[in-house]
């Protein structure tokens, strides 16, 4: 019996040993799972049921100087589906659950979203856990979809950019992409204020795809964008845009721009141009019309530069408002085969400095410019902002073209006196005349007035540093010299009852891409101010390549309308006779 008992004992020990060994394997594995590999397994399990969400920040608002909204983001909605769960479902109808087939659900979704049922069906087929069914839905559609309470549908708020005034200031405002990224204009310029910070959160869902209550975790708070206030006057901008659009149709011009500056501050009240762009429908405009030519397009400014030449001569020579010159119809350029002519044929004229500006004589300003050296004239062009970007620093803004003085040859020595051989933007020309209007103090233009963040903190955008570019008395004399254009010459048609005006017209040729000038193609311009004695506003007009009426006279009616409306809008009292009268001839 002893051997039998021994065998049983050995078998029992072997069984117990095996059981213990198996138990130890399970224990070790349990320890490994619960302690060693627990973080990884937990993360994997959480990943299988955790759903990350991005909470889109609402882009900030752009307003005009009076708080009128020019651009804003409004809530639109997007509905997305988990294709792996899409199918027959319980749907809430009048607060009661009903079992609907997938086809019934598709038909109802199509009815609410106004989308093709076939496209909705396609969006529900597949293995994606996130498939967009419809987007750009309004609040009413959101409420109807939400009432259905379909568990495998998610309805998300999505900011949508809208421009309530359409094309008003559209070239300034710019636009954004479908991904809410700024593409042009103020949208780019002020993006640091307008752009918010997206929020991040996540939640867990069960096997049925339903959000588990109480599992939402906010990882980053959403911060909406701020409000940008512009210096623009929306209503005045609208008025001017209507006027330049009418004028473009009449003249067949390639484009027209009109700028209104506050003479005392440099603030831009109007920066209108046509063709314009409606940021709500960017595709409806040509690509070349989607920027702002006021800041981005250059041309040879022509005769408005004569005022800068005159200012330099008045401060660095014996030239005064009634200095006497004999202006022939043409002058041969010494040492070259070239001859410079006036825009009209004439015998020698006895013109004063005032008459040279009034009649816009090239041969007259050549004699004035020869009174001073090129380095001085170059310095004055720079002082008046020619050859440099404005303080606005508009996206893709051009600095124009002003060659260094050591690059001037015998021809450019003269052509720079009357605005050829250099290039400027409309805003540069208007800004130059702001200095004349403001007693010689130039303040580079300002477009953005302030930024108010989401928490209500307002940060002012200061005006550029004022610079005394000419003496106050020089500026006053220049205004007196620029007044006869409107009292004795072609500007009579632009007179505004009760107000004195001062300004300078220009007609310049359009340069070709391969050198030389394009035949019969011109730029007509006018920079003027009112009231002339103590100007409040400067208006700059640029008419590019008109098909008819190619003289600067074509700027007068537009200047009248824009300046008159500006004065009325801003309640500027009538003012005349504040300046000395200078004789244009002798």
């Amino acid at each position: 019996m002893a051997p039998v008992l021994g065998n049983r004992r050995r078998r029992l020990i072997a069984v117990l040993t095996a059981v213990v060994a198996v138990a130890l394997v399970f224990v070790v594995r349990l320890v490994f799972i619960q302690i060693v590999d627990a973080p990884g397994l937990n993360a994997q399990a959480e990943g299988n049921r955790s759903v990350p969400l991005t909470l889109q920040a609402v882009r900030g608002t752009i307003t005009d100087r009076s708080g009128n909204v020019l651009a804003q983001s409004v809530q639109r909605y997007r509905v997305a589906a988990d294709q792996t769960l899409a199918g027959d479902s319980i749907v809430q109808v009048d607060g009661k659950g009903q079992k609907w087939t997938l086809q019934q659900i598709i038909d109802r979704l199509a009815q609410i979203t106004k989308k093709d049922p076939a496209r909705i069906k396609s969006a529900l087929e597949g293995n994606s856990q996130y498939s967009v069914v419809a987007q750009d839905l309004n609040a009413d559609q959101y409420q109807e979809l939400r009432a259905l309470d379909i568990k495998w549908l998610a309805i998300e708020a999505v900011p949508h950019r809208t421009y309530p005034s359409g094309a008003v200031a559209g070239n300034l405002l710019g636009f954004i992409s479908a991904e809410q990224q700024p593409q042009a204009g103020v949208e780019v310029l002020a993006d640091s204020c307008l752009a918010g910070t997206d929020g991040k959160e996540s939640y867990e869902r069960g096997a049925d795809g339903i959000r588990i209550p109480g599992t939402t975790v906010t990882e980053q708070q959403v911060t909406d964008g701020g409000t940008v206030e512009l210096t623009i006057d929306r209503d005045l901008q609208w008025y001017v845009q209507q006027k330049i659009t009418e004028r473009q149709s009449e003249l067949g011009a390639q484009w027209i721009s009109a700028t209104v500056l506050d003479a005392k501050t440099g603030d831009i009240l109007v920066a209108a141009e046509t063709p314009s762009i409606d940021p709500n429908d960017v595709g409806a405009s040509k690509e070349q019309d989607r920027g702002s030519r006021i800041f981005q397009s250059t041309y040879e400014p022509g005769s408005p530069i004569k005022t800068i030449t005159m200012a330099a001569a008045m401060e660095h020579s014996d030239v005064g408002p009634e200095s006497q010159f004999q202006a022939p119809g043409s002058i041969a350029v010494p040492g070259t085969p070239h001859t410079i002519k006036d825009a009209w044929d004439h015998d020698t004229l006895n013109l004063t400095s005032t008459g040279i500006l009034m009649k816009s004589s090239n041969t007259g300003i050549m004699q004035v410019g020869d009174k001073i050296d090129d380095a001085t004239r170059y310095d004055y062009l720079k002082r008046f902002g020619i050859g440099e970007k404005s303080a606005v620093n508009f996206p893709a803004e051009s600095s124009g073209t002003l060659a260094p003085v050591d690059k001037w040859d015998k021809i450019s020595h003269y052509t720079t006196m009357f605005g050829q051989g250099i290039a400027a933007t409309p805003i540069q020309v208007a800004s130059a005349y702001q200095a004349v209007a403001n007693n010689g103090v130039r303040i580079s233009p300002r477009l953005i007035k302030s930024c108010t963040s989401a928490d209500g903190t307002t940060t002012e955008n200061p005006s550029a540093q004022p610079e005394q570019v000419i003496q106050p008395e020089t500026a006053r004399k220049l205004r007196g010299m620029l007044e006869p254009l409107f009292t004795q010459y072609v500007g009579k048609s632009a007179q505004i009852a009760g107000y004195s005006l001062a300004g300078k017209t220009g007609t310049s040729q359009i340069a070709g891409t391969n050198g030389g000038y394009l035949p019969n193609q011109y730029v007509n311009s006018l920079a003027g101010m009112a009231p002339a004695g103590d100007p409040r506003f400067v208006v700059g007009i640029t008419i590019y390549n008109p098909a008819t009426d190619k003289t600067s006279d074509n700027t007068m009616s537009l200047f009248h309308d824009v300046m008159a409306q500006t004065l009325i809008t801003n309640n500027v009292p009538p003012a005349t006779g504040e300046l000395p009268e200078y004789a244009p001839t002798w």
Side-chain angles (χ1 to χ4, degrees):
M1 294 296 294
V4 174
L5 291 174
N7 289 337
R8 289 179 178 175
R9 186 177 296 111
R10 283 194 294 273
R11 285 198 295 272
L12 181 59
I13 291 172
V15 170
L16 290 174
T17 301
V19 170
V20 171
V22 171
L24 285 173
V25 169
F26 280 102
V27 168
V28 170
R29 182 58 180 161
L30 183 61
V31 170
F32 185 81
I33 290 173
Q34 291 186 335
I35 299 177
V36 179
D37 202 31
L41 292 174
N42 287 339
Q44 182 179 353
E46 183 177 351
N48 288 335
R49 66 177 185 271
S50 180
V51 179
L53 289 177
T54 297
L55 306 178
Q56 281 191 285
V58 178
R59 189 169 181 79
T61 298
I62 303 174
T63 74
D64 79 339
R65 64 192 300 114
S66 300
N68 297 306
V69 174
L70 299 174
Q72 64 182 348
S73 289
V74 296
Q75 288 287 30
R76 291 290 187 267
Y77 299 90
R78 175 173 57 214
V79 58
D82 184 338
Q83 293 175 338
T84 65
L85 299 175
D88 299 350
S89 302
I90 299 296
V91 175
Q92 295 298 315
V93 179
D94 296 329
K96 298 179 181 179
Q98 295 183 8
K99 184 68 176 291
W100 278 16
T101 65
L102 180 59
Q103 187 58 52
Q104 286 178 298
I105 294 174
I106 290 172
D107 292 340
R108 181 57 178 149
L109 292 178
Q111 183 182 25
I112 294 173
T113 63
K114 314 298 184 190
K115 307 296 182 185
D116 182 4
R119 295 188 63 180
I120 291 180
K121 181 179 179 182
S122 176
L124 298 179
E125 294 175 340
N127 298 313
S128 172
Q129 292 183 321
Y130 186 88
S131 172
V132 175
V133 177
Q135 52 190 345
D136 197 22
L137 306 176
N138 60 36
D140 291 337
Q141 291 170 309
Y142 164 78
Q143 293 294 349
E144 289 185 81
L145 290 169
R146 186 169 178 270
L148 296 177
D149 195 26
I150 300 172
K151 304 303 182 183
W152 41 266
L153 285 181
I155 309 171
E156 305 165 342
V158 180
H160 174 78
R161 199 66 165 167
T162 183
Y163 302 84
S165 297
V168 176
N171 299 78
L172 285 179
L173 297 174
F175 51 92
I176 66 173
S177 67
E179 293 75 28
Q180 302 291 299
Q181 296 302 309
Q183 302 296 300
V186 173
E187 293 284 15
V188 171
L189 180 63
D191 187 53
S192 60
C193 176
L194 295 169
T197 303
D198 290 344
K200 295 181 180 179
E201 70 177 29
S202 62
Y203 67 88
E204 295 180 19
R205 63 181 178 182
D208 58 359
I210 307 303
R211 182 190 294 230
I212 299 174
T215 62
T216 300
V217 176
T218 299
E219 300 165 10
Q220 180 174 303
Q221 294 286 351
V222 62
T223 302
D224 291 336
T227 296
V228 169
E229 181 181 346
L230 302 183
T231 59
I232 293 296
D233 182 319
R234 181 198 62 180
D235 295 342
L236 189 57
Q237 174 87 16
W238 174 86
Y239 173 85
V240 175
Q241 284 190 213
Q242 306 312 303
K243 288 298 179 180
I244 63 175
T245 300
E246 293 171 7
R247 198 72 179 118
Q248 184 190 27
S249 178
E250 294 166 356
L251 296 172
Q254 188 172 331
W255 57 267
I256 297 179
S257 72
T259 307
V260 179
L261 297 180
D262 186 316
K264 306 300 184 184
T265 66
D267 282 0
I268 302 172
L269 274 68
V270 171
E273 50 198 283
T274 183
S276 59
I277 177 176
D278 182 350
N280 295 303
D281 187 12
V282 175
S285 60
K286 296 178 181 179
E287 186 173 354
Q288 63 265 31
D289 298 331
R290 296 175 187 173
S292 175
R293 291 186 170 98
I294 288 173
F295 295 95
Q296 298 166 337
S297 293
T298 62
Y299 60 96
E300 294 194 356
S303 293
I305 297 299
K306 290 172 182 171
T307 301
I308 300 177
T309 302
M310 189 67 73
M314 290 171 66
E315 295 197 335
H316 291 273
S317 74
D318 59 354
V319 172
E322 294 185 319
S323 296
Q324 298 176 353
F325 297 88
Q326 288 189 315
S330 63
I331 293 179
V333 178
T336 77
H338 300 284
T339 297
I340 293 176
K341 303 168 58 178
D342 275 342
W344 77 104
D345 294 330
H346 62 83
D347 295 329
T348 298
L349 301 175
N350 293 331
L351 300 177
T352 65
S353 302
T354 298
I356 289 172
L357 291 180
M358 184 186 79
K359 286 187 171 291
S360 201
S361 171
N362 293 336
T363 62
I365 203 67
M366 289 168 66
Q367 297 175 63
V368 172
D370 267 340
K371 295 275 189 179
I372 51 178
D373 59 69
D374 287 348
T376 299
R377 287 198 298 108
Y378 176 84
D379 177 57
Y380 271 71
L381 288 167
K382 295 291 287 185
R383 290 190 197 184
F384 277 85
I386 305 301
E388 64 181 29
K389 296 179 182 179
S390 73
V392 173
N393 197 26
F394 198 82
E397 180 174 350
S398 174
S399 59
T401 303
L402 177 61
V405 69
D406 59 4
K407 301 296 184 183
W408 292 6
D409 58 19
K410 293 178 180 179
I411 296 296
S412 55
H413 162 74
Y414 285 110
T415 59
T416 52
M417 296 178 185
F418 51 83
Q420 289 190 343
I422 62 179
T425 59
I427 195 66
Q428 287 174 331
V429 175
S431 179
Y433 277 75
Q434 177 273 326
V436 177
N438 193 34
N439 290 323
V441 178
R442 179 173 173 266
I443 306 173
S444 192
R446 182 175 71 154
L447 176 61
I448 294 179
K449 187 176 180 181
S450 67
C451 167
T452 301
S453 62
D455 65 4
T457 302
T458 297
T459 303
E460 293 290 332
N461 180 35
S463 298
Q465 187 68 30
E467 180 184 1
Q468 189 82 47
V469 298
I470 56 176
Q471 295 302 310
E473 185 58 26
T474 304
R476 179 175 169 79
K477 289 178 180 179
L478 282 172
R479 294 199 301 273
M481 297 165 71
L482 294 171
E483 194 172 15
L485 174 71
F486 296 98
T487 59
Q488 302 180 44
Y489 204 48
V490 296
K492 287 183 179 181
S493 61
Q495 289 182 350
I496 302 171
Y499 297 92
S500 55
L501 309 175
K504 183 75 191 76
T505 57
T507 297
S508 58
Q509 295 171 281
I510 296 178
T513 56
N514 298 319
Y517 293 99
L518 299 175
N520 204 34
Q521 295 192 28
Y522 301 94
V523 179
N524 305 127
S525 60
L526 169 56
M529 60 202 72
D534 184 18
R536 283 287 314 281
F537 299 102
V538 171
V539 169
I541 305 291
T542 305
I543 300 177
Y544 194 90
N545 195 22
T548 62
D549 190 3
K550 297 176 181 293
T551 70
S552 58
D553 296 3
N554 65 21
T555 61
M556 290 301 170
S557 64
L558 193 53
F559 177 84
H560 169 274
D561 292 344
V562 174
M563 181 61 86
Q565 188 65 30
T566 300
L567 295 170
I568 293 170
T569 297
N570 291 276
N571 299 314
V572 178
T576 59
E578 304 91 341
L579 295 172
E581 295 184 9
Y582 301 120
T585 60
W586 56 277

